[in-house]
Amino acid sequence: MNSHIGEQLVAPDGFHGLSKTIRYYFCGRRSNDGSALLIWFAMHEKQRRVHFVWLPQEQFEEALLQDPPAIVEASRQCTLPEWLSEYEGIAFEDIEDIRYKEKKQTYLQQVEAKFSKVRPLLAHENEILSANDPLKEMARYAPSSANRYRIQVWFFSYILHGRNIWALMRSSQKTGRWNRIDEQHASRKFGRASLADGSRSGWSIAQIDRKKIVDSYLRYCGPGVSMAEIYRRAMVEVWGCKAIKTGGTYQLYHPNGQPFPSYGQYRYHIVCEFGLERVRLTKLGQPRVRRDAKQNEGNFTRPYANLLESVVVDAYYVDDRARSFRSDEPMPALVAACAICETSGANVGIGFSLGSESGEAYRSMLFCMAVPKPYYARLMGIPPECLDWGMEGVPPSFTSDRGPGGSIDLVHALKGAFPIKTIIPSHSGQSNAVAEASHPRSVELDGAPTFKQSDHDVVTLMKREIFRACYENHTKNISDRLSDEAIRHFRQQKLVATPYNLWNYLQKRRRTSGHSLSIEDAVRSFCEPQEFNVNCDGALFNNHVYSSKEFRKSGIQTEAAGLTNFRLSGYILPLAMRYLWVEVKGHLIELEACSRVRIDGADLNVPLSDLESAAKDRAAVNAMTRKSAEAAHIDARGKFEGLTGQSWDAGHRRTGSPRKATGITGREADLLGQKAGGRKRA
């Protein structure tokens, strides 16, 4: 379980004043008495409102630690407010172009207008969240022109959903999604007006027997039969329609004035019922569809109380130089940027750059912090079960030196979501003691300069440093950070004083200032933007092909096949090029590097994970085969020796070469040769 500001909690059986039907948002702990602030949203007639409750520390932690707990994490953690649930994972900038052209405001302009009303409140966030009545305190700082209920909803929507400005989107995604086939709409035909016959021609789909549409399609469809031909037969043989010529124009009508579907209504209903791919398959047949397919299948800590309340970051140069993939020459130095939670001493994230300390290392470090560690391990080629590293979450700010981690460009790239609270002097270890103390130590040698040439490549060295960062959380002694209450708990539970155990202790009690981000938001915020060429194999980057089942299912490769220089925007995690992400119609899709393999006469692009899995299976089969072969050899030897009474290898080694058989030996050879049907000796 990962605890952050904005974590959504439920009380399955209720708890004192909490209802089992409400989704509560954890909004932090008050520093003076440890009380927990819970927020929830509710509809009042046609307007949403914010409600809150303060739970005393003892009561809140009792509810969390009961067996079973009275308050638990909601099974589904919304990254946007519940009324925007259909927008989760969508990049609004990418779907802007497909909106109607007469729009008055872009999506970004809509949310920025609301954010301008929220921004003054963020400067007083601590006062608001620690006040006995946060809503009343908020009124002191809110613009006088703002509706107080709306500004409350906007403020808490923003801070409780990872400070994501898109949480301020207008809840209009359900506009036009009512069911037009309901009987209440039977008297009106919706949709675009007919250019030929006028806006009131035809019938509402609610007046038409939709079962007849499906049955008629199933009766007349087949290989080579077009939808138009099916529609014509259905109109004549099922609906009994006739055609009349008026001037030079033919028009379809029913003799008794009964309703019948237009071609558009008929086709739309069939595609909705069976899916476009199945309709194409029925018409063209499997061989044609396959042929025409466009894609291939020290105690320097300050008295912090909450996790991630303060995070310090710094980078170090890995002592040994990685070897090149293609030679024994040394690669440029590997730089690792680490983030340390000052409260727990835990290493909560790591990132890398090559050659020099850069913003790239700090952005990948923030990405490591934001996403679940099993997901990060998979991206880096590490089996998730190998890392016992559960720390997840991003801080409201972090402390850096004046290097790339503190540059204004880094902050700007993150859209202001993670401001740098304090910039400490560069090359001043005591000013950033918590981070500096966590760096690996090396011995200074006298004499001529030397360096350590590693036998590992860059990828292997990165994996080693990830393991180092993870297991420092299990080896560092942080007993001096433990309160008396925590010391008693650790002793009773026989827990060692490590950052890992302190993190779990504080997390269970929701003593955290961290925020959560969805994987999509983390990728868009921290990974490096790129553009990728797309063809029938997948997305191309650095002479490698990337694809996935979801990408192929999206149909984007089909669209790209007939075009030249078709490109998609996306993201990469530098130095970890096994996976990348592309934006497809506002949705972020993860792709994996593929390898070209030949199977049964066909060249296929197979994901590396599939190849590795097949390699593991092959190795296991080979091991079993070797083991079985050894057992078969031993079985044969035993049977032979049991039958003959002699050893399998009975005999001794003699000097010289064997002579030609003569005398008695020659006669024996002749006799044996005759009995065996062999040739006589010359």
Side-chain angles (χ1 to χ4, degrees):
M1 181 184 295
N2 293 294
S3 305
H4 315 98
I5 302 297
E7 181 184 21
Q8 292 137 54
L9 307 173
V10 294
D13 299 312
F15 179 72
H16 297 320
L18 304 185
S19 169
K20 68 178 184 179
T21 61
I22 294 177
R23 178 183 293 261
Y24 297 93
Y25 287 79
F26 173 65
C27 204
R29 305 287 288 269
R30 193 155 51 188
S31 57
N32 59 352
D33 60 5
S35 297
L37 176 62
L38 300 185
I39 296 290
W40 72 95
F41 303 94
M43 284 295 294
H44 288 251
E45 296 181 352
K46 296 184 179 181
Q47 189 174 36
R48 291 186 185 85
R49 293 189 186 179
V50 175
H51 299 271
F52 73 92
V53 62
W54 283 105
L55 288 185
Q57 175 173 325
E58 299 79 8
Q59 189 180 115
F60 182 58
E61 295 187 0
E62 174 192 357
L64 294 172
L65 301 175
Q66 285 178 359
D67 188 17
I71 298 177
V72 298
E73 179 182 6
S75 58
R76 178 173 177 266
Q77 295 288 308
C78 301
T79 58
L80 291 175
E82 289 182 273
W83 54 90
L84 298 175
S85 59
E86 294 187 23
Y87 282 156
E88 291 197 15
I90 289 180
F92 293 97
E93 300 96 328
D94 290 344
I95 63 175
E96 188 68 51
D97 292 338
I98 64 177
R99 295 179 63 205
Y100 60 99
K101 302 303 180 184
E102 292 77 17
K103 56 183 179 291
K104 295 181 179 179
Q105 284 186 315
T106 65
Y107 285 142
L108 185 59
Q109 289 171 337
Q110 291 176 16
V111 296
E112 285 182 338
K114 293 182 181 179
F115 186 69
S116 65
K117 304 289 181 65
V118 172
R119 185 182 288 110
L121 301 177
L122 297 177
H124 305 281
E125 180 180 340
N126 291 335
E127 296 94 320
I128 293 172
L129 297 184
S130 60
N132 290 330
D133 189 335
L135 305 184
K136 188 175 182 180
E137 183 72 13
M138 188 185 302
R140 295 179 53 195
Y141 310 109
S144 58
S145 60
N147 179 294
R148 62 171 179 166
Y149 298 124
R150 289 178 182 171
I151 200 72
Q152 291 168 5
V153 171
W154 297 345
F155 175 79
F156 283 104
S157 294
Y158 176 74
I159 68 170
L160 295 177
H161 295 92
R163 299 178 182 272
N164 184 355
I165 194 172
W166 297 110
L168 304 179
M169 272 289 292
R170 185 182 303 160
S171 58
S172 58
Q173 78 277 16
K174 293 186 178 180
T175 300
R177 297 193 179 183
W178 41 269
N179 192 348
R180 64 179 61 187
I181 67 175
D182 287 346
E183 291 300 325
Q184 60 181 328
H185 305 303
S187 61
R188 181 180 178 186
K189 182 184 179 184
F190 296 97
R192 186 179 63 179
S194 171
L195 297 177
D197 301 319
S199 60
R200 306 193 66 174
S201 65
W203 283 267
S204 165
I205 191 66
Q207 297 176 289
I208 298 170
D209 188 347
R210 292 174 297 282
K211 185 175 182 300
K212 289 170 69 174
I213 296 179
V214 175
D215 290 345
S216 63
Y217 173 78
L218 293 176
R219 183 188 307 175
Y220 302 128
C221 70
V225 183
S226 68
M227 183 67 71
E229 178 64 25
I230 296 171
Y231 174 75
R232 295 173 195 135
R233 292 190 63 181
M235 290 304 100
V236 174
E237 299 178 20
V238 177
W239 269 270
C241 294
K242 296 181 179 295
I244 186 174
K245 184 178 181 180
T246 304
T249 304
Y250 287 89
Q251 186 174 0
L252 200 63
Y253 75 99
H254 194 282
N256 299 325
Q258 295 179 2
F260 60 90
S262 67
Y263 175 77
Q265 289 174 321
Y266 189 91
R267 183 182 185 280
Y268 177 79
H269 194 75
I270 292 302
V271 171
C272 289
E273 182 74 20
F274 298 104
L276 181 60
E277 192 64 27
R278 187 174 172 186
V279 171
R280 290 185 68 245
L281 187 65
T282 302
K283 174 186 173 183
L284 302 177
Q286 181 67 34
R288 167 76 180 275
V289 171
R290 184 189 308 151
R291 188 191 71 204
D292 290 349
K294 300 298 190 294
Q295 62 185 40
N296 299 331
E297 300 289 333
N299 187 16
F300 294 95
T301 58
R302 288 167 280 179
Y304 294 111
N306 295 333
L307 296 173
L308 301 177
E309 186 174 352
S310 176
V311 172
V312 292
V313 301
D314 198 18
Y316 65 88
Y317 284 83
V318 176
D319 189 42
D320 37 357
R321 292 292 189 95
R323 65 171 176 80
S324 171
F325 286 105
R326 297 177 177 83
S327 70
D328 291 330
E329 295 298 314
M331 292 288 288
L334 180 66
V335 178
C338 291
I340 308 296
C341 170
E342 289 204 74
T343 303
S344 63
N347 196 329
V348 294
I350 188 170
F352 301 96
S353 61
L354 198 61
S356 63
E357 181 182 349
S358 68
E360 176 184 295
Y362 289 94
R363 281 189 286 271
S364 59
M365 174 203 71
L366 285 166
F367 179 79
C368 176
M369 294 173 63
V371 301
K373 291 301 189 291
Y375 181 78
Y376 181 75
R378 179 172 65 82
L379 297 180
M380 303 302 292
I382 299 174
E385 63 272 10
C386 292
L387 288 184
D388 190 6
W389 193 7
M391 291 77 177
E392 178 189 341
V394 289
S397 63
F398 64 77
T399 301
S400 172
D401 60 19
R402 294 185 181 273
S407 72
I408 190 65
D409 292 336
L410 180 72
V411 175
H412 178 71
L414 302 181
K415 302 178 182 178
F418 304 98
I420 300 175
K421 184 162 54 178
T422 304
I423 300 181
I424 59 178
S426 299
H427 311 295
S428 176
Q430 289 186 344
S431 300
N432 198 13
V434 174
E436 295 284 350
S438 68
H439 295 340
R441 295 291 178 262
S442 58
V443 178
E444 293 288 342
L445 300 177
D446 294 334
T450 62
F451 71 92
K452 183 179 179 181
Q453 171 71 69
S454 175
D455 290 336
H456 302 309
D457 55 40
V458 171
V459 174
T460 309
L461 272 189
M462 289 167 57
K463 292 179 181 179
R464 188 189 71 183
E465 296 308 304
I466 292 172
F467 276 104
R468 187 201 305 275
C470 172
Y471 283 95
E472 278 180 355
N473 296 327
H474 297 270
T475 58
K476 191 187 305 181
N477 187 338
I478 46 88
S479 57
D480 54 342
R481 300 170 187 259
L482 300 181
S483 65
D484 294 342
E485 173 194 359
I487 285 288
R488 286 192 298 270
H489 175 82
F490 273 49
R491 186 173 183 183
Q492 290 172 359
Q493 300 297 321
K494 298 181 180 179
L495 299 174
V496 294
T498 60
Y500 177 82
N501 288 326
L502 179 55
W503 181 284
N504 289 337
Y505 172 81
L506 295 175
Q507 180 177 265
K508 288 180 180 178
R509 289 156 177 78
R510 298 305 190 278
R511 298 181 187 176
T512 179
S513 298
H515 296 267
S516 63
L517 282 181
S518 67
I519 291 177
E520 292 84 0
D521 287 340
V523 170
R524 290 171 178 138
S525 297
F526 306 128
C527 293
E528 182 179 324
Q530 288 283 345
E531 283 199 342
F532 308 100
N533 286 319
V534 178
N535 62 17
C536 60
D537 291 325
L540 308 180
F541 184 68
N542 284 350
N543 298 320
H544 287 84
V545 177
Y546 292 78
S547 188
S548 69
K549 291 182 180 177
E550 185 180 1
F551 186 62
R552 292 190 291 271
K553 187 177 178 181
S554 71
I556 197 69
Q557 291 171 257
T558 303
E559 297 179 23
L563 303 175
T564 58
N565 297 324
F566 184 85
R567 298 172 72 84
L568 287 177
S569 61
Y571 305 89
I572 62 170
L573 184 62
L575 298 184
M577 296 311 304
R578 182 168 180 164
Y579 296 88
L580 54 79
W581 300 264
V582 294
E583 295 279 9
V584 178
K585 299 176 182 177
H587 291 273
L588 196 67
I589 297 180
E590 178 189 293
L591 308 185
E592 182 181 1
C594 299
S595 177
R596 177 73 74 172
V597 296
R598 190 170 181 82
I599 301 175
D600 294 336
D603 285 336
L604 298 176
N605 286 314
V606 179
L608 293 180
S609 57
D610 290 352
L611 293 181
E612 290 181 355
S613 176
K616 290 180 180 178
D617 293 341
R618 187 182 301 277
V621 171
N622 284 337
M624 290 188 294
T625 304
R626 288 193 299 270
K627 188 175 181 180
S628 175
E630 292 300 325
H633 278 302
I634 293 172
D635 181 63
R637 284 172 175 264
K639 290 179 178 178
F640 171 79
E641 292 174 4
L643 179 66
T644 64
Q646 293 179 302
S647 170
W648 181 280
D649 298 314
H652 61 280
R653 185 165 294 276
R654 297 171 58 179
T655 59
S657 300
R659 295 183 300 175
K660 185 177 180 180
T662 58
I664 297 176
T665 306
R667 180 61 179 166
E668 181 180 349
D670 288 339
L671 292 174
L672 289 175
Q674 290 173 357
K675 289 183 180 179
R679 217 172 29 169
K680 289 187 178 181
R681 288 187 305 117

